[in-house]
């Protein structure tokens, strides 16, 4: 049933200026199910600072069941101008966890951004208060920071740069974390818990917790991934392989013929 539900979703990019009050309230209702220390006023003010939002809808009812906010940021790397696409709050109703509808829409957005400026470096900017968000980058990007294998240290200054621009006064350059204080929003305890088995079996999850040991109270690990043509060309094939492998693991059902 859950696999069928995931196929019944669609996602749409909406500029912030076009987001209605009723849709804003619907998104806040979803957000409030999974986060603590929140308010509609704070949520609305944060949303107004974004460029736009991907909203996920159920096809049959038109009900919003998830969203992901975006903001574009000017960057500079080794004297060259670059563009960063910052992903803010991202949440999807639990019954649809595992759906890739947001991944596909975001991928298409990155293709459009890269084609607009093919010779300009393009980056995905992400802050993660939970391991699931971190894995979105770590499992899908060739060049990203922080990397559990210690690669791509040259991207570290860009993290400092965008954190200073977007969150002045909240970035700790020593810990490489964004700390908004004890009153900041944080994930509810049952949303993204890390078990001992997960720590033992997954190097990336263990690395995330080492980098962000205070994630449970809402500190954010800033990340960056470079969007290259090779990444854009390889992603559809990687996604196809994941879907194929998932289907191959599903139990086969036999049908008796009379």
């Amino acid at each position: 049933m859950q696999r069928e539900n995931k196929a019944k979703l669609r996602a749409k990019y909406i500029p912030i200026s076009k987001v209605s009050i009723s849709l804003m309230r619907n998104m806040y209702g979803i957000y409030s199910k999974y986060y603590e220390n929140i308010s509609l006023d704070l949520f609305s003010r944060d949303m107004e600072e974004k460029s736009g939002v991907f909203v996920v809808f159920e096809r049959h009812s038109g009900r919003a069941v998830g969203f992901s906010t975006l903001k574009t940021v000017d960057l500079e790397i080794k004297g060259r101008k670059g563009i960063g696409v910052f992903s803010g709050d991202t949440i999807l109703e639990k019954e649809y966890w595992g759906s890739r509808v947001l991944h596909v829409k975001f991928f298409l957005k990155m293709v459009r951004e890269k084609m607009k400026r093919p010779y300009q470096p393009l980056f995905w900017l992400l802050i993660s208060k939970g391991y699931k968000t971190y894995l979105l980058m770590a499992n899908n990007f060739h060049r990203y920071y922080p990397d559990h294998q210690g690669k791509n240290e040259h991207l570290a200054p860009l993290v400092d740069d965008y954190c200073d621009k977007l969150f002045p006064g909240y970035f700790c350059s020593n810990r490489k974390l964004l700390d908004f204080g004890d009153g900041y929003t944080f994930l509810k305890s049952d949303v993204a818990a890390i078990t001992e088995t997960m720590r033992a079996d997954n190097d990336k999850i263990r690395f995330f917790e080492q980098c962000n040991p205070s994630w449970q109270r809402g500190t954010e690990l800033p990340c960056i991934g470079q969007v290259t043509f090779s990444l854009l060309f390889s992603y559809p094939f990687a996604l196809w392989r994941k879907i194929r492998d998932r289907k191959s693991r599903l139990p086969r059902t036999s049908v008796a013929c009379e």
Side-chain angles (χ1 to χ4, degrees), residues 28 31 34-39 42-43 46 89 129 180-188 214-220:
Y28 175 74
Y31 192 70
Y34 301 94
Y35 288 89
E36 303 282 9
N37 277 358
I38 60 172
S39 69
L42 180 62
F43 179 80
D46 181 72
D89 295 324
K129 59 168 65 76
F180 297 95
D182 293 334
Y184 185 57
T185 59
F186 58 91
L187 288 164
K188 292 186 176 181
S214 50
W215 66 270
Q216 288 174 306
R217 71 170 180 85
T219 54
E220 302 263 17

Side-chain angles (χ1 to χ4, degrees), residues 6-227:
K6 294 172 188 174
K8 296 178 180 179
L9 300 177
R10 65 180 180 89
K12 179 181 179 181
Y13 180 76
I14 305 174
I16 288 299
S17 61
K18 302 293 184 181
V19 175
S20 66
I21 294 175
S22 61
L23 179 56
M24 184 80 74
R25 289 184 176 275
N26 287 346
M27 290 191 292
Y28 175 74
I30 299 168
Y31 192 70
S32 63
K33 292 180 182 179
Y34 301 94
Y35 288 89
E36 303 282 9
N37 277 358
I38 60 172
S39 69
L40 179 57
D41 178 63
L42 180 62
F43 179 80
S44 299
R45 282 190 281 115
D46 181 72
M47 190 73 68
E48 288 172 358
E49 296 177 359
K50 302 300 189 291
S51 305
V53 57
F54 287 113
V55 184
V56 182
F57 299 95
E58 288 179 335
R59 290 185 182 275
H60 67 282
S61 69
R63 181 175 70 94
V65 296
F67 63 91
S68 181
T69 61
L70 290 180
K71 181 180 180 122
T72 56
V73 181
D74 291 327
L75 297 174
E76 185 173 312
I77 177 169
K78 296 181 179 179
R80 296 178 62 195
K81 290 184 178 179
I83 296 294
V85 178
F86 174 73
S87 287
D89 295 324
T90 300
I91 197 73
L92 191 64
E93 294 274 19
K94 188 173 183 178
E95 64 187 285
Y96 295 112
W97 285 2
S99 168
R100 296 189 179 276
V101 64
L102 275 174
H103 298 192
V104 172
K105 279 292 182 181
F106 181 79
F107 167 76
L108 294 175
K109 175 72 171 175
M110 292 296 99
V111 170
R112 287 191 291 270
E113 289 294 329
K114 189 63 178 174
M115 295 307 295
K116 283 183 197 175
R117 312 170 185 87
Y119 301 108
Q120 200 170 54
L122 176 64
F123 300 91
W124 184 29
L125 315 178
L126 182 72
I127 61 175
S128 53
K129 59 168 65 76
Y131 77 89
K132 291 182 180 180
T133 307
Y134 174 72
L135 290 181
L136 287 176
M137 181 167 287
N139 286 343
N140 293 291
F141 273 67
H142 304 153
R143 302 175 191 168
Y144 67 95
Y145 173 87
D147 182 305
H148 73 291
Q149 295 179 324
K151 300 177 180 178
N152 306 310
E153 290 291 327
H154 66 285
L155 297 177
L158 289 178
V159 171
D160 295 31
D161 183 23
Y162 87 74
C163 285
D164 288 340
K165 287 180 178 178
L166 296 178
F167 313 103
Y170 293 103
F171 180 62
C172 176
S173 57
N174 292 326
R175 294 187 295 153
K176 296 295 183 182
L177 291 177
L178 284 164
D179 193 338
F180 297 95
D182 293 334
Y184 185 57
T185 59
F186 58 91
L187 288 164
K188 292 186 176 181
S189 59
D190 60 339
V191 174
I194 299 176
T195 66
E196 289 297 333
T197 300
M198 293 163 65
R199 293 185 184 96
D201 294 346
N202 194 304
D203 292 341
K204 294 174 183 176
I205 293 177
R206 185 168 62 252
F207 177 74
F208 165 78
E209 192 168 43
Q210 290 170 353
C211 291
N212 190 5
S214 50
W215 66 270
Q216 288 174 306
R217 71 170 180 85
T219 54
E220 302 263 17
L221 177 66
C223 309
I224 186 168
Q226 186 164 5
V227 181

